[in-house]
Amino acid sequence: MAGKRHILPGFKLTLGYTILYLSIIVLIPFSGLLLKTFAGGWEHFFKTITEPRVVASYYVSFGISLAAALVNGFFGVIAAWVLARYEFPGRKILDAIVDLPFALPTAVAGIALTTIYARNGMIGSLLEPYGIKVAYTQLGIFVALTFIGLPFVVRTVQPVIQDLSVDVEEAAATLGANRWQTFTRVIFPALLPSILTGITLAYGRAVGEFGSVVFISGNLPFKTEITPLLIITKLEQYDYTGAAALGFVMLVASLFILLISNGLQAWDNKRKGIA
Amino acid sequence: MAGATTTFRTKVVAPRRATAESPWIKGTLISILLLFFGFFLILPLYVVFHEAFSKGAGVFFKTFQDRATAHAIWLTLLTAAIAVPLNTVFGVAAAWALTRFQFRGRSLLISLIDLPLWVSPVIGGLIYVLVFGRQGWFGPWLFEHDIKIIFALPGIVLATTFVTFPFVARGLIPLMQAQGHKEEEAAMTLGANGWQIFWRVTVPKIKWGLLYGIILCNARAMGEFGAVSVVSGHIRNKTNTMPLHIEILYNEYQFAAAFAVASVLCVLALVTLIIKTYAEWQAERQLRAAAESVE
């Protein structure tokens, strides 16, 4: 393998262009963020990221994202299972529509969900008599984040279910396991790494989400304000160092989530290697 | 081996009884799926079109005669027309470098390419404001020379390019990795030069994966909200893209008009899903053919 490193042409050209373009679009602007973050000194940085209003936004962003990712974990596994294993009319359409939250602009999702869950909306008006408000509350943020995270668990678990060998399930059945035992002892453990990866991906996407949330959240400080919105608020007040500081916190959080997801994938690969 | 398992798998769609759930459980699971998708995917789609035509077809079509709407559509098309080709050239170059050669730092490079997918789109806008904004690195210099990047087209294009950066590369890398480069090497021993190899051997092999990446890149480019919102300044008839125009109309309580513009983006999303599904299917077929030819 190492012997035929540079057989094909274009190594210098393509790698050089890749690095140049990556630097212009991603790396140099990011170094701008890092420099600006600490331009006001450590003290200012810590003061900004621990303001009560900012801390409240962490709870909203990171907490509700987690709830949405977990709900997606539960329904995503069911959806992946049904789409991978069952034949029924309309299955192919449902399978294609899973990716809608990837393809649909977030602003469109935002106004559509707000309209559905507003007090006079299709579902909002049904919940109103029970005193349940969705739009302009944390529940609304949860709905939006569940929508945008929906494809992740389905799309990471579905191929794993398709690749599961039916032999193992047959073996479990011949050894006297009922279907539930086969699921909990044989199938679920095999799916677990991909389920956790999917949940992590959905969580990572939800934490940074902006477009679908701003419409349905109502953006009340301390209650329904997400951290990305506070970045924009600070920019609008020309507080560039403050905005950069919050951006830095979000960036570190995203990298941390990315690290977890990579760790989960490595764990999965290792397990597969043993099996 | 890989080919054998895939052909085998397609035959075992209906598992035998010992490995199938009871019809009752099956029905329940399908119902849960239908309810979940119904509430979260189908209902929002329905509402967009329902609201778009709630004031009649007249209001729907009048929305698009409005100058601000027409300008927003034009700006969105222009932005995508710049950002998508840029990221396509990059994606092909990156995929070539990353799948045809082994070098140190390869996995780090892949992670860096993925980075824009992981960070908040708001950060995608923020970083350019920090570099090119009035108080940014190049801000004073740009101001002196009267060059506008932030609150102007270049900023919108940059932010859009950032959020759509990895799509083409990510569509190609796994495909080209799996296909390998035996054909390219064969073409080279037959005397083809680099460009001939690329256009005549590689492009036909990767065209469906490439289309898949481009179509997703385009959908995101036309629909991006967060990143563009930060750098645009929301100037009507100047820096408003379609998603931003939807926000303005919606906040002005012009719901039918907002949803009319939204319905266009909705159709774009649905067309994207159809092409994506088809391209994915074709790419898989190509990959399977490649796997079989290796045997």
Side-chain angles (χ1 to χ4, degrees), chain A residues 238-259:
Chain A
Y238 296 100
D239 179 7
Y240 281 24
T241 16
L246 294 189
F248 182 76
V249 170
M250 296 288 301
L251 178 65
V252 170
S254 297
L255 291 179
F256 188 65
I257 298 167
L258 176 69
L259 212 67

Side-chain angles (χ1 to χ4, degrees), chain A residues 21 25 35 86 99 179 208, chain B residues 21 40 87 120 128 137 276:
Chain A
Y21 188 76
I25 301 292
L35 281 179
Y86 301 157
D99 291 317
R179 197 62 190 143
Chain B
E21 289 78 47
F40 279 98
N87 283 337
S120 174
Y128 295 109
W137 267 1
K276 176 191 159 289

Side-chain angles (χ1 to χ4, degrees), chain B residues 272-289:
Chain B
T272 302
L273 286 187
I274 293 169
I275 300 176
K276 176 191 159 289
T277 308
Y278 184 72
E280 218 166 26
W281 181 63
Q282 289 287 349
E284 242 166 64
R285 229 185 44 157
Q286 257 181 343
L287 203 59
R288 217 175 297 153

Side-chain angles (χ1 to χ4, degrees), chain B residues 73-129:
Chain B
I73 293 173
W74 182 81
L75 186 62
T76 295
L77 292 175
L78 179 67
T79 305
I82 303 171
V84 174
L86 280 176
N87 283 337
T88 303
V89 172
F90 160 74
V92 172
W96 184 273
L98 288 164
T99 61
R100 267 43 181 160
F101 309 101
Q102 294 292 327
F103 54 90
R104 210 181 291 170
R106 190 175 162 273
S107 51
L108 175 70
L109 193 56
I110 294 180
S111 303
L112 285 174
I113 290 173
D114 270 352
L115 193 63
L117 281 187
W118 278 93
V119 302
S120 174
V122 169
I123 293 180
L126 170 72
I127 53 175
Y128 295 109
V129 174

Side-chain angles (χ1 to χ4, degrees), chain A residues 1 4-11 13-15 17-19 21-22 25-33 35-36 72 75 78-79 81-83 85-88 94 96-101 103-108 111-117 122-123 136 143 146-147 150 162-163 166 169-170 173 179 200-201 204 208 210-211 214-215 228 231-232 235 238 240 243-244 247 250-251 254-255 257-258 261, chain B residues 9 12-13 15-16 18-21 26 29-30 32-34 36-37 39-48 51 83 86-87 89-90 93-94 96-97 100-103 109 111-113 115-116 118-123 126-131 133-137 158 161-162 165 181 184-185 188 194-195 197 219 223 225-226 229-230 243 246-247 250-251 258-259 262 265-266 269-270 272-273 276-277:
Chain A
M1 199 56 200
K4 45 179 188 175
R5 269 172 95 171
H6 297 289
I7 291 181
L8 288 169
F11 178 65
L13 176 73
T14 54
L15 185 66
Y17 184 71
T18 301
I19 291 171
Y21 188 76
L22 180 75
I25 301 292
V26 179
L27 300 182
I28 295 172
F30 263 113
S31 52
L33 173 71
L35 281 179
K36 202 74 185 177
N72 270 321
F75 286 107
I78 295 176
W81 183 264
V82 170
L83 292 173
R85 282 287 170 97
Y86 301 157
E87 275 301 334
F88 55 95
L94 289 175
I97 213 178
V98 170
D99 291 317
L100 183 73
L104 193 71
T106 52
V108 176
I111 62 169
L113 291 172
T114 312
T115 306
I116 295 169
Y117 290 97
M122 284 166 83
I123 297 179
Y136 316 122
V143 168
T146 306
F147 170 82
L150 192 147
Q162 275 161 354
D163 284 342
V166 186
E169 291 169 47
E170 278 170 0
R179 197 62 190 143
T200 315
L201 292 171
F210 177 71
V214 282
F215 292 97
I231 295 178
I232 291 187
L235 274 180
Y238 296 100
Y240 281 24
M250 296 288 301
L251 178 65
S254 297
L255 291 179
I257 298 167
L258 176 69
S261 139
Chain B
R9 197 202 311 147
V12 194
V13 177
R16 265 165 267 172
T19 56
E21 289 78 47
K26 206 168 146 176
L29 291 178
I30 293 177
I32 293 175
L33 171 90
L34 288 175
F36 186 56
F37 280 21
F39 274 113
F40 279 98
L41 299 177
I42 295 160
L43 198 58
L45 271 183
Y46 166 77
V47 161
V48 170
E51 293 290 319
L86 280 176
N87 283 337
V89 172
F90 160 74
W96 184 273
R100 267 43 181 160
F101 309 101
Q102 294 292 327
F103 54 90
L109 193 56
S111 303
L112 285 174
I113 290 173
L115 193 63
W118 278 93
V119 302
S120 174
V122 169
I123 293 180
L126 170 72
I127 53 175
Y128 295 109
V129 174
L130 295 179
V131 173
R134 277 296 293 276
Q135 298 175 43
W137 267 1
L158 276 172
T161 307
F162 177 87
F165 185 82
H181 38 80
E184 278 88 343
E185 281 167 15
M188 219 180 74
W195 289 111
I197 295 175
F225 179 77
S229 169
V230 174
I246 292 174
E247 183 194 20
Y250 186 83
N251 288 341
F259 277 103
L265 288 176
C266 231
L270 291 176
T272 302
L273 286 187
K276 176 191 159 289
T277 308

Side-chain angles (χ1 to χ4, degrees), chain B residues 116-185:
Chain B
L117 281 187
W118 278 93
V119 302
S120 174
V122 169
I123 293 180
L126 170 72
I127 53 175
Y128 295 109
V129 174
L130 295 179
V131 173
F132 299 114
R134 277 296 293 276
Q135 298 175 43
W137 267 1
F138 303 117
W141 186 87
L142 290 168
F143 185 70
E144 258 169 47
H145 293 77
D146 202 28
I147 303 170
K148 286 208 87 165
I149 290 184
I150 300 305
F151 305 147
L153 178 69
I156 295 173
V157 171
L158 276 172
T160 304
T161 307
F162 177 87
V163 291
T164 58
F165 185 82
F167 285 99
V168 177
R170 277 178 68 102
L172 287 180
I173 290 171
L175 179 71
M176 287 170 69
Q177 189 85 55
Q179 282 176 338
H181 38 80
K182 286 224 163 61
E183 286 98 333
E184 278 88 343
E185 281 167 15

Side-chain angles (χ1 to χ4, degrees), chain A residues 162-203:
Chain A
Q162 275 161 354
D163 284 342
L164 278 183
S165 126
V166 186
D167 300 355
V168 189
E169 291 169 47
E170 278 170 0
T174 51
L175 292 171
N178 65 32
R179 197 62 190 143
W180 177 246
Q181 285 170 325
T182 309
F183 181 76
T184 52
R185 308 256 181 97
V186 178
I187 300 171
F188 187 73
L191 299 184
L192 190 61
S194 64
I195 296 172
L196 293 176
T197 306
I199 292 175
T200 315
L201 292 171
Y203 183 62

